[in-house]
Amino acid sequence: MPGAHDRPGRRGGNETRTDTHCPYCALQCGMTLTPAADVAPREFPTSRGGLCQKGWTSASLLDSPARLTTPLVRTGGELRPASWDGALDLIAARLTGLQAEHGRDAVAVFGGGGLTNEKAYLLGKFARVALGTSQIDYNGRFCMSSAAAAGLRAFGVDRGLPFPVTDLAGADVIVLVGSNPAETMPPFLQQLQGAAAAGGLVVVDPRRTPTAEQANVHLAPAPGTDLALALGVLHATVAEGLIDEAYVAERTAGFDETWRIAARYWPEHVERITGVSAADQRALARMLAGAGNAYVLTARGAEQHATGVDTVSAWIDVALAHGLPGRAGSGYGCLTGQGNGQGGREHGQKADQLPGYRKLADPAAREHVAGVWGVDPDSLPAPGRSAYELLDVLGRPEGPKAMLVFGSNVVVSAPRSQRVTDRLEALDFLVTADVVLSETAAMADVVLPVTQWAEEDGTMTNLEGRVLLRRKAIDPPEGVRSDLDVLAGLAERLGQPAGRFPVDAEEVFTELRAASAGGVADYSGVTYERLRAGEALHWPVPAAGHSGTPRLFLDGFAHPDGRARFVAVEHTGPAEPPDAEFPLQATTGRLLQHYQSGAQTRAVPELAEAVPEACIEVHPDTAARAGVAVGEVATVESRRGAVTAPVRCVPSMRPDVVFVPFHFPGGQRANLITNPVLDPTSRMPEFKVCAARLVPAGAAESAEQQGAGGAS
């Protein structure tokens, strides 16, 4: 089989090399693609000419044997090839019939944080105009929603990094909370070298990850205690006179209420909660106070909790106490995960939002967007259910009877995944649009093959709020259509006038610009022409002549009084603490070679061969107590399910923690065990910690058999 860099040029397209961006994470590394689909890195600010293993092999999927190239319709229990007209006609007929019988909300739509801005925008419009359903959300709810909510209440606006990534290079101190970029976005590590050289790179993570290995300081709190640790650092900041009093007085509000809670979290008390020494908490407070330029950055490890919003707020409080946000060369930010995790939530595929980061419940927002769409504002549905709540009611009397899934693999990625699988099976009708037959697509009644990143134009918004143009480099395989074409074809079959749903990406983006105008995430001044010319445009860009806003908050925060808000938060701990029956704490995360649910990267031979299956990482003593040796197959059990995989002993692991990566299907799905309890504000599930136990695989099977025998 040809390698990733020596395949023949078997498709037409541009006859020159095309500058574009990697299809994976939100770093959106710069790359160049040839007509033969050869990848080469190119200089770009976020990646500095770097690519990770996933980026280097990204073109392998373009001509992979796993690639879908014809619509599939389930007939006689099996998915069989069908024509496009036949597949779209069937979908429209089934959706129309179900809505006629059960109402508009009988049909749900589920999107993805990897969709381009144009796709995310048109998907939200399709749900609310063509289907008239309120039941739409996306997998970004599982990614960055807690940080978004915390950013909104602290600063009045949510943009992952409110400053360019390159600003990090000038920092003396960078605190990474729950982030492992050495595996999730390796080129990003170049931005951290200055802080590391200055002795100021701090990683907060229960595991000694590859990122923690490169840090000057690694703090390893027990899973689910990051909030308490932040309160301890805040307490030390105030108690030792390290707070930036002038900044707090002039640029913030709410400190007194916040301090009333933080005053109870002296470092010695926090040490008992987290396992992080009081001395280390005080040392971190001193590092931040003594830095010329410092940043606090959070990621999924801090956010994917039932108290994720409060946890992020606690770290924002630390940053505010040291006067970092809104100061050139310093700040707080969140490292977005998915490729379009930022733009994907700004333009309408989230249950409560309209384009431009407008609120669906806001009458003025409804009027503006409805005017762009040419519909009555009163025809737009109200906000619907969040992602997990939506998945949890599928097929139930009160829930949708059909669902359309674009760019997501919820069978692997959703918490309590066996329950989600059961709910998908209960649907009357399931449609997926994807590039490979993912585990979710394999369950569908209709599967639609769609274009990939290199086969289409479209914009992405990276982790720093910069709008990028990902350009078409090659033609798609015969028989494959774009998601935009799919939505337009379905919309017309559902009775929408021709042209209301454009199929050209630039035309869709022009409409998106109008819909976002005046909103928080204002793209109205961004054009394809400006992006083709290489302009660096960070939103908001409210006019054609506007140069963008690379650094937010320098002149004030987005609240009416211009002040940032301290938010008083209390540590409550994991929703499911360990006990005698389940004495360990299970946590999940990513591996270097794979991405998200693994549906794409598991189809790339180089990556699948490097890491073909999941592993269970534990401390050697934990494995010994469970009677499991290195390499043996063991089972991690929780109250919801069990994951079975080979054991890997890691001496640096906390003895009370077990780690499972979440990229793998079947019985190795990490989300078989995760806890779906939701943050009350963001509706983010608690992916990062649940009570668990480790047992030999045979013992788990024996227990299941005995339980089944007793039940009968």
Side-chain angles (χ1 to χ4, degrees):
M1 178 179 177
H5 312 297
D6 59 5
R7 62 173 56 79
R10 74 272 172 257
R11 288 193 222 156
N14 297 326
E15 295 305 317
T16 58
R17 296 162 66 91
T18 302
D19 288 346
T20 186
H21 295 271
C22 178
Y24 291 115
C25 80
L27 200 59
Q28 287 293 285
C29 298
M31 62 166 57
T32 299
L33 203 64
T34 70
D38 292 333
V39 167
R42 67 180 174 90
E43 192 61 34
F44 191 70
T46 63
S47 52
R48 294 182 176 178
L51 287 176
C52 74
Q53 192 172 0
K54 293 183 288 292
W56 274 111
T57 60
S58 56
S60 295
L61 201 61
L62 294 170
D63 61 353
S64 167
R67 185 75 190 274
L68 294 170
T69 58
T70 186
L72 303 174
V73 172
R74 192 169 298 279
T75 305
E78 295 185 7
L79 288 171
R80 302 180 188 276
S83 69
W84 270 101
D85 282 341
L88 295 178
D89 288 347
L90 173 63
I91 295 169
R94 291 297 307 274
L95 300 186
T96 300
L98 288 168
Q99 287 190 318
E101 183 177 356
H102 301 286
R104 290 290 189 178
D105 284 352
V107 179
V109 178
F110 202 90
L115 300 179
T116 63
N117 288 317
E118 292 81 0
K119 293 177 184 179
Y121 168 80
L122 209 65
L123 191 64
K125 179 182 176 182
F126 175 82
R128 296 180 174 109
V129 175
L131 291 173
T133 181
S134 69
Q135 301 301 290
I136 176 173
D137 212 79
Y138 80 127
N139 64 16
R141 179 77 69 170
F142 301 154
C143 178
M144 197 181 150
S145 57
S146 289
L152 282 167
R153 68 188 188 185
F155 309 124
V157 68
D158 154 46
R159 198 179 87 189
L161 296 184
F163 47 80
V165 168
T166 50
D167 283 4
L168 296 170
D172 308 301
V173 173
I174 297 176
V175 182
L176 293 175
V177 184
S179 177
N180 181 21
E183 293 192 275
T184 60
M185 49 178 69
F188 179 77
L189 292 179
Q190 298 173 86
Q191 313 291 348
L192 310 179
Q193 290 175 351
L201 181 57
V202 181
V203 170
V204 178
D205 199 304
R207 299 169 58 227
R208 191 163 183 81
T209 63
T211 305
E213 290 282 355
Q214 299 184 44
N216 305 106
V217 178
H218 173 216
L219 306 181
T225 64
D226 302 60
L227 195 162
L229 178 58
L231 289 171
V233 175
L234 180 59
H235 186 288
T237 298
V238 178
E240 299 199 9
L242 304 173
I243 190 169
D244 188 332
E245 294 182 359
Y247 175 97
V248 170
E250 296 167 9
R251 301 202 61 187
T252 75
F255 172 74
D256 290 344
E257 184 180 354
T258 298
W259 173 241
R260 277 194 287 272
I261 293 177
R264 304 198 302 267
Y265 285 84
W266 61 96
E268 285 77 11
H269 173 50
V270 170
E271 179 177 344
R272 291 193 291 272
I273 297 171
T274 65
V276 176
S277 73
D280 282 343
Q281 296 170 54
R282 293 188 172 99
L284 178 54
R286 294 187 196 111
M287 286 178 69
L288 287 168
N293 294 298
Y295 292 88
V296 175
L297 306 177
T298 62
R300 306 302 82 71
E303 299 158 29
Q304 290 179 327
H305 296 277
T307 55
V309 177
D310 285 354
T311 300
V312 175
S313 289
W315 286 102
I316 291 175
D317 288 345
V318 170
L320 290 172
H322 287 276
L324 307 182
R327 179 159 66 85
S330 294
Y332 161 80
C334 169
L335 299 179
T336 311
Q338 296 190 75
N340 201 29
Q342 182 70 54
R345 69 179 178 277
E346 294 170 355
H347 298 300
Q349 63 172 333
K350 194 162 172 271
D352 58 348
Q353 285 181 195
L354 287 170
Y357 223 133
R358 288 181 160 90
K359 287 295 184 183
L360 182 56
D362 177 6
R366 294 167 67 89
E367 183 175 0
H368 173 82
V369 174
V372 174
W373 289 348
V375 300
D376 184 343
D378 292 336
S379 71
L380 300 180
R385 297 178 174 94
S386 70
Y388 182 76
E389 292 167 305
L390 173 57
L391 296 172
D392 195 45
V393 297
L394 295 176
R396 294 187 177 279
E398 71 277 20
K401 315 303 177 190
M403 186 165 74
L404 285 71
V405 180
F406 285 76
S408 188
N409 185 18
V410 294
V411 167
V412 177
S413 64
R416 204 173 185 182
S417 59
Q418 186 55 54
R419 183 181 181 90
V420 170
T421 302
D422 293 342
R423 300 312 334 137
L424 292 174
E425 289 177 341
L427 286 170
D428 291 349
F429 195 59
L430 175 63
V431 178
T432 65
D434 215 326
V435 299
V436 296
L437 193 68
S438 70
E439 287 71 27
T440 304
M443 297 181 63
D445 297 289
V446 180
V447 181
L448 303 175
V450 292
T451 49
Q452 290 190 62
W453 58 285
E455 301 161 352
E456 60 187 9
D457 287 330
T459 60
M460 309 283 280
T461 305
N462 75 351
L463 76 172
E464 57 185 0
R466 176 171 172 168
V467 185
L468 309 168
L469 180 59
R470 215 167 58 182
R471 303 177 66 185
K472 178 179 177 179
I474 60 175
D475 293 325
E478 185 178 352
V480 171
R481 298 186 182 182
S482 74
D483 299 79
L484 302 180
D485 190 70
V486 169
L487 293 171
L490 285 175
E492 288 191 27
R493 285 169 171 82
L494 293 169
Q496 293 296 305
R500 176 168 279 174
F501 288 82
V503 298
D504 177 74
E506 187 168 1
E507 187 177 350
V508 174
F509 190 77
T510 299
E511 185 180 307
L512 180 158
R513 292 170 53 210
S516 74
V520 173
D522 190 333
Y523 284 34
S524 60
V526 183
T527 66
Y528 269 41
E529 182 180 5
R530 298 183 72 181
L531 296 177
R532 289 189 189 105
E535 290 192 57
L537 298 174
H538 301 74
W539 69 257
V541 189
H546 195 282
S547 59
T549 314
R551 295 171 185 85
L552 296 172
F553 314 140
L554 295 181
D555 299 322
F557 297 96
H559 291 297
D561 60 3
R563 292 172 175 262
R565 301 289 191 266
F566 279 91
V567 178
V569 293
E570 184 88 61
H571 169 72
T572 57
E576 186 181 62
D579 55 25
E581 186 178 6
F582 295 94
L584 302 176
Q585 292 176 295
T587 190
T588 68
R590 283 172 51 180
L591 303 176
L592 171 63
Q593 290 79 10
H594 290 292
Y595 180 72
Q596 302 300 85
S597 74
Q600 297 176 69
T601 51
R602 285 186 274 113
V604 176
E606 296 94 324
L607 303 179
E609 290 167 9
V611 183
E613 62 177 349
C615 62
I616 296 170
E617 290 189 4
V618 294
H619 189 278
D621 292 348
T622 307
R625 284 196 300 270
V628 178
V630 175
E632 287 185 351
V633 176
T635 298
V636 178
E637 296 179 325
S638 77
R639 289 180 171 86
R640 289 154 296 281
V643 176
T644 299
V647 165
R648 179 182 173 211
C649 287
V650 181
S652 63
M653 286 283 288
R654 291 178 56 107
D656 58 349
V657 173
V658 56
F659 169 78
V660 184
F662 55 62
H663 311 293
F664 300 93
Q668 293 192 341
R669 283 177 289 170
N671 284 313
L672 289 167
I673 63 173
T674 49
N675 192 348
V677 63
L678 304 178
D679 183 287
T681 302
S682 68
R683 316 310 288 167
M684 167 80 84
E686 187 155 74
F687 286 104
K688 288 301 182 188
V689 58
C690 70
R693 61 189 174 204
L694 179 69
V695 298
E701 293 170 5
S702 176
E704 288 179 6
Q705 291 168 359
Q706 290 176 7
S712 63

